[in-house]
Amino acid sequence: MTPTPRRVRQLLSWTATAAVWCSVLAAAVVVGSQTSLPSIDQDTAAALGSIGVAGAGLLMWRAAGHVKPGRRITYQLLAAGMQTTAATVAAACWLPNGLADTVAGAGFATAVVVWSLALLRLPDNEWDPKAVQRRLVDGAFVGLCTLFALWLLLGRPLFQAQRGHVTGGDFAIIIPTMMGVILLGVGLTTTLRIRHWRRRHALAHIAVFAVHFTGTAMYTAWQWTRPEERVLWWSVAWVATCTALLAVTYFARHRKASPVDKPSYPGVHYTVLAGAAAIAAAAVLINGAASGPLPLDAALVGLAAAAALAARLILTFLDVHRVTVEAAARQKRLSAIVGVASDTVLVLDPDLKITWAPEDSALKPAPESGPCLGASFLDLVHIDDRRGAGEDLRALLDGLSHTGQAHLNIRIRDVDSRWHHTETVVTDLRGRPQVRGLVARIEDVGARRSLETELARMAYTDPLTGLANRRALLQSLEDGVAAEEHQTALLLLDLDGFKNVNDTRGHDFGDELLVEVSRRIKELLRPTDVGARLGGDEFAILLRASRPEAVATAKALVARLGEPYEFHDESTVFTTGSVGIATAADGLGDPEILLRNADLALRAAKQAGKNRHATYDAEFDRLVRRKNELTQELRGAIARDELRLVFQPVFAIADRTIVGAEALLRWNHPRLGQVSPGEFIPAATESGLTQDLAVWTVNRAAEQLAAWHSAGIKAWISVNVSVKELHTHLFATEVNTALIAAGVPAKRLVLEVTEHDFSHQMNTLIAQLGALRGAGVRIALDDFGSGYSSLGQLDRLPVDILKIDRDLIAKDDGGVGPLAAVTVELGRLLGMEVIAEGVETDTQLSAMIAAQAPLVQGYLLAKPMEPDDLTRWLTEEPKALPPAPPLVPEPRDTPSDVPESEKS
């Protein structure tokens, strides 16, 4: 097994203990064999003392095992010193005289060394070589000075009187005694310098000195053949002092460290050193006055004291050198840290003079003339910031700051005569001995200020055009509307056809166009105006102007934007702009409302034909709100069952019967009331709801056809659909599904398509109509004569019925249009049924009869009616073409300017 340090220490301690007790037992055997029982001689007393001390040392070793590990070795060393003295005396009992003296001297000297090491280590939890060196040198100097005086004045004369001359055995007593005096000095100086465990150390070093003194006294009395009683009593005292040292160990086991360090007494320590030196000098003077020159032995002790003093001076020199080097290293480290930081530190005295500055730093403050050190701190500050900084610093010096700090946003000059924006924090540290002044920490925030300025600019500026952005415009609007002394107007601009430029020329070209537009806007701006780009091709101009001035600016802007745009590739682009105008009075003082009103005015300008300006109109605002409300409410109208169908009959002139009916959509809202198709049909078209309405209408019409089929009624129903639904491939499927579910023939359903919707995607429309017609559904061309279809297109279209537009039949004065008969004849030649719609007077009806129009429809004959009323009419009076009533103007269900496709 590999030995560990712990096992080695245990082995050595057991070996030493075994050696001690072997020596003690040997002494006991030898002395016991030579001594009679009734009497105790000197050898017996010494042997008994060694047995007692060995036992005390053993107990102390075991007690030290319960001390904390950091201090355990100290008390084990004390126990080892006791064991050494016990073994020394025991060996002297059974060894020959010459050898016994040598062993005794070496043993007592070894014990002193061991005890000295223990006392030197006692204040620390671990071995600190530097601290031990200073304690040893100081203690040795005090002990040697004391030994010199005692030996020269007392010890040497007393020894000469008692012994006369020194023998070989006397050295075993004299040398340990002198070392004991040195031990006393080491313990004294160490106790005065330490801050922890001072009382324990004092008790320990007194007890150790007592053990050493009684041990050497017992050995002296024994060797110098003093009476047996004296030897015995010194043995008892020796054992008693060992017991006292054992008590110190037990005291250490339960003693806790003080939470607060005790004060050090360096003055007392140095007084002791000076006092020891004074005692030695006085001894020299007294000896010189009484006896003359120093004897050789005393001179050797004096030289040893001088050597200790020299060692102390060397250590002091090394300490000063080390502290100087460490201070320089700390200074360099501090300078290096400050040098790479973005700030610097200055120390100011109460007069604001600079007393310390780093040698190297990123920011090097300097006054206009002269060095930084010794200059006034205010000389570094910009003249515009100097007054405020001085007031804050004086308030700090007067104790008016609750935090003990002053925060300064000032500009400071550097060695290159440049000004730096800084955030300076000045802390009052006059109460700290290490500083005794003000500490100014100066942070250069110039880069951060520049970044903040750039970020602010980016946050409020459009990066492409350099104009303000929406956020900046809103801020300016708030400021402008809040300032009552200024009139505020807002112009909102949108380019006409900008998407086409992007699609045909690319987005880079579009960006160039936007930059040119922004340049033209800037040309019209006054210093008090604000131009902004809100996004895309939308711009805004905030004017400090009245309404007439705003209108004049808008006219000039529209004219300027309409001029040709020439670009770097020698290409020319023509585009125009529309402008909406709103004033603060229209916006009621709210920037968001003002922006919305301008947007509504722009919308009105776009709807009026673009390339123009328009001012905010409250009536247009109301219509837009109404339309938006209708759009929102229409989304749930089907689910809420708010829609219904009414039917306007179609009459056959030949047999005066109702052959069919046109389904018309009606909406009755619980809050809005009866909503006209002229309102909700356009709203449905813009919001993409016509598909759902068309499918719902087809399903309701199919259900009505099924009801008529069950009642034996053979009339058909026509439903208005737009081209948008026909372009959806699912619409045909929905129609077929509705007819199959209702169980009615497909020919009973007629889909009316308005002629003016045929202008786009003709081929796709023809294919969709052909598919529906192939399924059996008939197709009617509504409002024929009002759209774009030519005769060639009419021949291509899969159409079964022509519905002549009202404008071809009726005049405003109630007369008949000149093309009505021609259109009826055209339908007959093409093999199509013809329905003359919009018949409202007897004259028009007579004209259609004369033109042999097969089918007629209009308010003169019948208005749109509920399904039950029409069913009752078809069931009870199938041939009920009424006679022409007197011509009385009646309000039509659908205005004439609303296309028939919008009726449903």
Side-chain angles (χ1 to χ4, degrees):
M1 180 182 295
T2 304
T4 61
R6 184 171 179 271
R7 291 182 176 275
V8 172
R9 289 196 302 269
Q10 288 180 345
L11 180 60
L12 291 176
S13 62
W14 281 109
T15 302
T17 303
V20 170
W21 281 99
C22 287
S23 177
V24 170
L25 291 176
V29 172
V30 171
V31 172
S33 63
Q34 297 177 356
T35 304
S36 59
L37 292 177
S39 63
I40 297 178
D41 57 10
Q42 295 174 340
D43 294 343
T44 303
L48 291 176
S50 65
I51 294 174
V53 171
L58 182 60
L59 293 175
M60 187 173 180
W61 183 275
R62 294 186 59 84
H66 299 283
V67 179
K68 291 183 179 180
R71 300 184 179 278
R72 182 181 302 163
I73 189 171
T74 299
Y75 295 95
Q76 289 178 343
L77 288 174
L78 295 177
M82 293 170 60
Q83 296 278 23
T84 302
T85 56
T88 297
V89 173
C93 292
W94 55 269
L95 289 175
N97 291 334
L99 185 57
D101 292 337
T102 303
V103 171
F108 279 113
T110 302
V112 171
V113 173
V114 172
W115 283 329
S116 297
L117 292 176
L119 294 176
L120 291 171
R121 192 185 185 282
L122 181 59
D124 307 312
N125 289 326
E126 58 185 8
W127 190 260
D128 187 356
K130 295 181 179 179
V132 170
Q133 288 175 4
R134 283 149 188 78
R135 295 168 190 164
L136 179 60
V137 171
D138 290 348
F141 177 73
V142 172
L144 287 171
C145 289
T146 304
L147 176 62
F148 174 77
L150 292 176
W151 175 252
L152 184 61
L153 300 179
L154 299 177
R156 195 171 189 280
L158 182 61
F159 184 81
Q160 289 178 347
Q162 294 291 331
R163 300 288 292 173
H165 61 280
V166 179
T167 63
D170 295 334
F171 286 105
I173 299 172
I174 294 173
I175 293 176
T177 303
M178 290 182 174
M179 294 180 67
V181 177
I182 298 174
L183 174 64
L184 180 63
V186 171
L188 178 61
T189 55
T190 303
T191 303
L192 294 175
R193 289 301 301 270
I194 63 175
R195 302 181 66 178
H196 298 283
W197 312 102
R198 185 180 299 156
R199 182 179 303 174
R200 186 187 306 180
H201 188 274
L203 293 176
H205 104 265
I206 292 173
V208 167
F209 180 77
V211 170
H212 179 69
F213 175 74
T214 55
T216 54
M218 184 277 298
Y219 185 77
T220 301
W222 177 30
Q223 294 299 317
W224 289 358
T225 63
R226 294 293 185 263
E228 292 82 355
E229 295 83 0
R230 185 177 297 179
V231 176
L232 179 60
W233 283 113
W234 279 118
S235 296
V236 172
W238 188 25
V239 175
T241 54
C242 290
T243 305
L245 185 57
L246 177 61
V248 171
T249 304
Y250 278 96
F251 176 73
R253 292 174 54 184
H254 305 287
R255 180 68 175 178
K256 294 182 180 179
S258 175
V260 181
D261 291 342
K262 296 181 179 180
S264 180
Y265 301 111
V268 177
H269 172 76
Y270 290 116
T271 301
V272 171
L273 292 177
I279 292 174
V284 172
L285 294 176
I286 294 173
N287 180 78
S291 304
L294 290 175
L296 179 60
D297 47 7
L300 292 176
V301 175
L303 289 176
L309 179 60
R312 184 66 174 86
L313 293 176
I314 292 174
L315 291 178
T316 302
F317 171 78
L318 294 177
D319 288 341
V320 172
H321 179 70
R322 176 178 55 82
V323 171
T324 303
V325 172
E326 291 178 354
R330 284 196 297 268
Q331 177 67 23
K332 291 181 179 179
R333 184 170 182 266
L334 178 61
S335 298
I337 294 173
V338 174
V340 299
S342 62
D343 53 3
T344 187
V345 178
L346 301 178
V347 179
L348 317 177
D349 63 10
D351 295 328
L352 301 182
K353 300 293 184 181
I354 301 173
T355 60
W356 182 88
E359 297 178 359
D360 190 15
S361 62
L363 174 61
K364 298 179 180 180
E368 187 173 358
S369 61
C372 181
L373 290 178
S376 174
F377 175 74
L378 295 179
D379 291 340
L380 306 176
V381 182
H382 194 277
I383 189 171
D384 295 337
D385 304 331
R386 193 172 298 170
R387 180 178 178 182
E391 292 176 354
D392 292 340
L393 292 177
R394 280 191 292 272
L396 178 63
L397 291 171
D398 294 338
L400 300 180
S401 175
H402 299 291
T403 60
Q405 289 183 335
H407 296 265
L408 311 175
N409 291 317
I410 55 179
R411 284 164 289 178
I412 287 184
R413 182 190 184 95
D414 67 359
V415 293
D416 297 324
S417 300
R418 294 177 301 181
W419 295 101
H420 296 261
H421 289 274
T422 68
E423 290 182 357
T424 302
V425 179
V426 183
T427 306
D428 186 3
L429 297 180
R430 290 177 293 173
R432 295 192 181 182
Q434 299 88 346
V435 182
R436 297 192 182 279
L438 306 180
V439 176
R441 182 177 62 82
I442 305 171
E443 181 180 2
D444 186 357
V445 296
R448 191 179 73 191
R449 291 281 178 87
S450 300
L451 179 60
E452 290 174 353
T453 303
E454 179 64 19
L455 290 176
R457 188 192 66 79
M458 294 175 62
Y460 290 94
T461 304
D462 177 61
L464 177 63
T465 63
L467 296 173
N469 59 12
R470 179 181 291 271
R471 180 183 301 173
L473 177 67
L474 290 176
Q475 183 64 44
S476 299
L477 279 174
E478 291 180 0
D479 298 338
V481 172
E484 297 180 357
E485 67 273 18
H486 292 295
Q487 293 177 309
T488 303
L490 179 64
L491 274 58
L492 209 60
L493 162 68
D494 187 83
L495 296 181
D496 303 326
F498 177 73
K499 186 176 184 302
N500 294 331
V501 176
N502 266 343
D503 294 343
T504 58
R505 304 296 295 272
H507 288 276
D508 292 340
F509 196 90
D511 290 344
E512 290 186 34
L513 177 60
L514 293 176
V515 172
E516 177 61 22
V517 169
S518 68
R519 188 187 66 80
R520 296 185 181 186
I521 291 175
K522 292 175 184 178
E523 291 176 353
L524 299 175
L525 294 180
R526 299 172 299 181
T528 58
D529 300 335
V530 177
R533 179 182 176 224
L534 305 184
D537 61 332
E538 189 175 9
F539 296 84
I541 300 177
L542 178 62
L543 302 175
R544 309 297 186 189
S546 61
R547 183 187 293 268
E549 293 173 332
V551 172
T553 302
K555 289 181 179 178
L557 183 60
V558 171
R560 187 73 176 91
L561 295 177
E563 298 176 2
Y565 294 85
E566 296 181 357
F567 293 94
H568 63 278
D569 58 353
E570 298 182 357
S571 61
T572 303
V573 172
F574 295 91
T575 187
T576 58
S578 301
V579 179
I581 307 170
T583 62
D586 301 326
L588 302 177
D590 189 335
E592 290 289 347
I593 295 179
L594 182 61
L595 187 61
R596 177 185 174 276
N597 290 348
D599 189 61
L600 288 173
L602 175 62
R603 184 173 177 179
K606 289 280 191 181
Q607 292 183 1
K610 303 179 181 180
N611 191 26
R612 66 192 64 216
H613 69 276
T615 58
Y616 170 73
D617 182 19
E619 178 62 21
F620 182 77
D621 187 1
R622 187 192 66 79
L623 294 176
V624 171
R625 290 178 184 271
R626 170 77 173 179
K627 190 172 185 179
N628 291 337
E629 186 178 20
L630 292 178
T631 301
Q632 294 299 322
E633 295 296 328
L634 188 59
R635 292 187 181 275
I638 295 176
R640 295 191 299 267
D641 196 22
E642 296 173 358
L643 301 179
R644 62 187 178 88
L645 291 180
V646 296
F647 299 91
Q648 186 175 25
V650 177
F651 294 88
I653 293 180
D655 55 3
R656 307 176 64 85
T657 60
I658 299 175
V659 296
E662 180 181 0
L664 301 175
L665 191 61
R666 295 293 183 265
W667 180 21
N668 185 17
H669 191 274
R671 179 171 56 83
L672 301 176
Q674 195 75 28
V675 184
S676 169
E679 283 190 298
F680 73 80
I681 293 299
T685 302
E686 289 186 9
S687 58
L689 296 176
T690 53
Q691 173 74 17
D692 296 336
L693 295 181
V695 171
W696 182 88
T697 303
V698 168
N699 280 277
R700 299 292 84 76
E703 292 174 2
Q704 187 62 51
L705 287 173
W708 285 353
H709 183 71
S710 300
I713 300 173
K714 298 181 179 180
W716 46 262
I717 294 178
S718 66
V719 177
N720 290 282
V721 296
S722 66
V723 173
K724 185 181 296 185
E725 281 76 52
L726 293 176
H727 285 168
T728 305
H729 65 281
L730 294 177
F731 182 72
T733 304
E734 295 283 354
V735 171
N736 291 328
T737 301
L739 293 174
I740 293 173
V744 296
K747 65 180 180 178
R748 295 287 182 89
L749 180 66
V750 178
L751 298 181
E752 296 185 12
V753 185
T754 305
E755 182 190 6
H756 57 68
D757 288 342
F758 285 9
S759 58
H760 300 289
Q761 301 180 358
M762 177 65 73
N763 294 332
T764 303
L765 179 61
I766 292 174
Q768 292 288 350
L769 292 176
L772 288 168
R773 195 181 185 196
V777 177
R778 293 191 294 168
I779 306 298
L781 183 60
D782 195 13
D783 295 336
F784 179 73
S786 64
Y788 310 97
S789 60
S790 63
L791 293 179
Q793 290 176 339
L794 187 62
D795 185 56
R796 292 176 58 201
L797 291 172
V799 175
D800 302 288
I801 302 172
L802 285 182
K803 294 190 72 172
I804 304 175
D805 185 72
R806 175 186 175 280
D807 292 338
L808 295 180
I809 296 174
K811 291 184 177 180
D812 294 336
D813 58 1
V816 180
L819 298 179
V822 176
T823 307
V824 172
E825 184 64 23
L826 176 62
R828 184 181 297 112
L829 293 175
L830 294 175
M832 301 178 184
E833 292 187 64
V834 178
I835 301 176
E837 62 176 344
V839 178
E840 298 182 358
T841 65
D842 291 335
T843 303
Q844 294 168 358
L845 178 60
S846 299
M848 291 299 99
I849 293 174
Q852 298 182 359
L855 304 174
V856 292
Q857 178 185 359
Y859 271 40
L860 176 66
L861 307 175
K863 294 182 180 180
M865 60 185 67
E866 297 294 331
D868 293 341
D869 296 338
L870 182 57
T871 301
R872 190 180 309 111
W873 194 356
L874 289 172
T875 303
E876 297 175 358
E877 301 181 61
K879 296 181 180 181
L881 182 63
L887 184 60
V888 178
E890 298 184 22
R892 293 189 296 271
D893 182 69
T894 304
S896 60
D897 57 342
V898 178
E900 283 294 326
S901 63
E902 296 183 356
K903 295 178 183 178
S904 62

